[in-house]
Amino acid sequence: MHRIGVLALDGVVPFELGIPARIFGAARDAAGEPLYSVVTCSPDGRPVHTDADYDIAVSADASVLAHVDTVVIPPAHSPDTLREDGRLSDDVRAALEHVRPGTRMVAICTGAFVLAAAGLLDHRPATTHWREATQLQRLFTTVRVDPNVLFVDDGDVLTSAGAAAGVDLCVHIVRRDHGSAVANEVARLCVVPPWRDGGQAQFIRQPVPEPSAGGTAATRAWALERLGEPLTLTDLAGHARVSVRTLTRRFRDEVGMSPGQWLAGQRIERARHLLETTDWSIDLVAHHAGFGTGTSLRQHLHSAVGVAPLAYRRTFRSATALTA
């Protein structure tokens, strides 16, 4: 069983603190057995203040982090100056010293500041809440901060944007560990989407569109039913009954990316699902996902996730088999 330790710091945000136990706790194998164990600790094992009107008692001190496979750090609005001067407090630094080399590190929202201050994000891609991204970059100049995504998976270090993006990241981790079937069931049980379109751009305050402007939701739903067809921007604009230029603007306003980027992303997700759940040939998967040829699928999948279709299938079919 994969062991997860959640480090609760003073001023922790209760919503994000509860995400790991809720998401990972819902993951079960085919026999109904849990796939993860989650333990929540504080640096000294004492109750921690939250940013709400109550404290939280934890079950352990930070020494348990020496025995887990993944460490999750939720955001905390503590009185220390981490987000002002980039320095870890002595108790947080001591807590992180328990973590074994090779342990997977996960930060939700401004938990990224903790990883950055510990040197774990040096020269690596990361994200955080869009409102804090500029400060993260200012304090830690070698971190490659991307304020436009919901989460960043850099292998053994993963970071997410604010609040509910922590749900997206944890569901993604379940999928990475055990395949889409398990992750989709977790999402269904927790009543959350298994994958959200777009990035943080859709949540940043922008001018309200003109009342006459329609949304793209209906066109996106229409396109999802036709991913295997050779859809073009003109096709999408025709369905929405707007110009390509207007469609592109609305897509950027609503999902934070262009129609072409969105469509390619959806086709990648369809291909990944088919690779995980069918024995179809690469060419047949490519056809049903809308890439036309196996060569095109190989190029797009390698660009998106860094592996070829057959390697992806071996990895995720193996992960699925382990849960059966």
Side-chain angles (χ1 to χ4, degrees):
M1 183 184 296
H2 191 101
R3 299 160 298 180
I4 295 179
V6 182
L7 179 58
L9 303 177
D10 197 42
V12 68
V13 183
F15 176 78
E16 284 93 325
L17 176 64
I19 290 173
R22 187 69 185 91
I23 298 299
F24 295 117
R28 296 287 191 272
D29 64 17
E33 296 298 318
L35 293 168
Y36 300 91
S37 64
V38 181
V39 58
T40 303
C41 67
S42 65
D44 56 8
R46 297 177 181 176
V48 293
H49 300 298
T50 72
D51 77 336
D53 61 341
Y54 52 87
D55 295 347
I56 290 179
V58 297
S59 59
D61 62 33
S63 64
V64 302
L65 299 181
H67 309 289
V68 302
D69 306 298
T70 296
V71 172
V72 181
I73 303 177
H77 300 157
S78 57
D80 64 41
T81 59
L82 172 60
R83 279 187 281 169
E84 280 70 45
D85 61 19
R87 292 183 299 166
L88 291 175
S89 62
D90 291 341
D91 63 334
V92 175
R93 187 174 297 279
L96 294 177
E97 289 176 353
H98 291 286
V99 179
R100 296 171 298 160
T103 300
R104 182 166 61 188
M105 302 297 293
V106 178
I108 298 175
C109 192
T110 56
F113 282 78
V114 176
L115 297 188
L120 298 175
L121 297 181
D122 291 350
H123 308 288
R124 305 184 73 156
T127 193
T128 189
H129 192 289
W130 60 266
R131 191 171 56 188
E132 302 288 345
T134 299
Q135 181 68 353
L136 181 66
Q137 188 68 86
R138 186 187 72 80
L139 289 173
F140 308 102
T141 57
T142 66
V143 180
R144 303 202 303 273
V145 180
D146 185 347
N148 298 312
V149 295
L150 293 177
F151 61 81
V152 171
D153 180 345
D154 195 38
D156 60 338
V157 179
L158 302 92
T159 52
S160 84
V167 175
D168 299 309
L169 177 56
C170 289
V171 172
H172 166 76
I173 291 172
V174 173
R175 175 174 180 161
R176 197 180 92 170
D177 290 348
H178 299 289
S180 64
V182 174
N184 289 346
E185 180 63 12
V186 167
R188 189 178 72 85
L189 289 172
C190 296
V191 199
V192 298
W195 182 269
R196 279 199 294 168
D197 297 337
Q200 293 196 71
Q202 61 188 306
F203 303 109
I204 299 172
R205 183 179 293 120
Q206 299 178 11
V208 177
E210 292 297 322
S212 60
T216 63
T219 296
R220 283 182 278 139
W222 176 83
L224 287 175
E225 295 177 354
R226 295 165 175 80
L227 288 180
E229 301 176 14
L231 297 175
T232 66
L233 292 183
T234 301
D235 294 329
L236 296 176
H239 179 271
R241 298 182 179 181
V242 296
S243 67
V244 170
R245 181 177 180 180
T246 297
L247 181 78
T248 300
R249 185 183 71 251
R250 291 182 184 173
F251 258 81
R252 291 193 181 279
D253 287 344
E254 293 178 27
V255 300
M257 61 181 69
S258 71
Q261 291 171 323
W262 177 85
L263 187 60
Q266 297 304 316
R267 284 176 165 158
I268 286 292
E269 289 307 307
R270 175 68 58 83
R272 291 170 68 172
H273 176 72
L274 294 174
L275 288 169
E276 294 174 28
T277 59
T278 74
D279 293 317
W280 292 354
S281 69
I282 301 305
D283 284 337
L284 188 57
V285 169
H287 171 74
H288 281 273
F291 289 111
T293 67
T295 298
S296 178
L297 171 59
R298 291 183 186 93
Q299 293 172 342
H300 282 86
L301 189 67
H302 191 277
S303 176
V305 298
V307 297
L310 286 178
Y312 183 88
R313 170 173 275 165
R314 283 194 299 268
T315 298
F316 281 93
R317 291 300 286 271
S318 297
T320 302
L322 289 174
T323 67

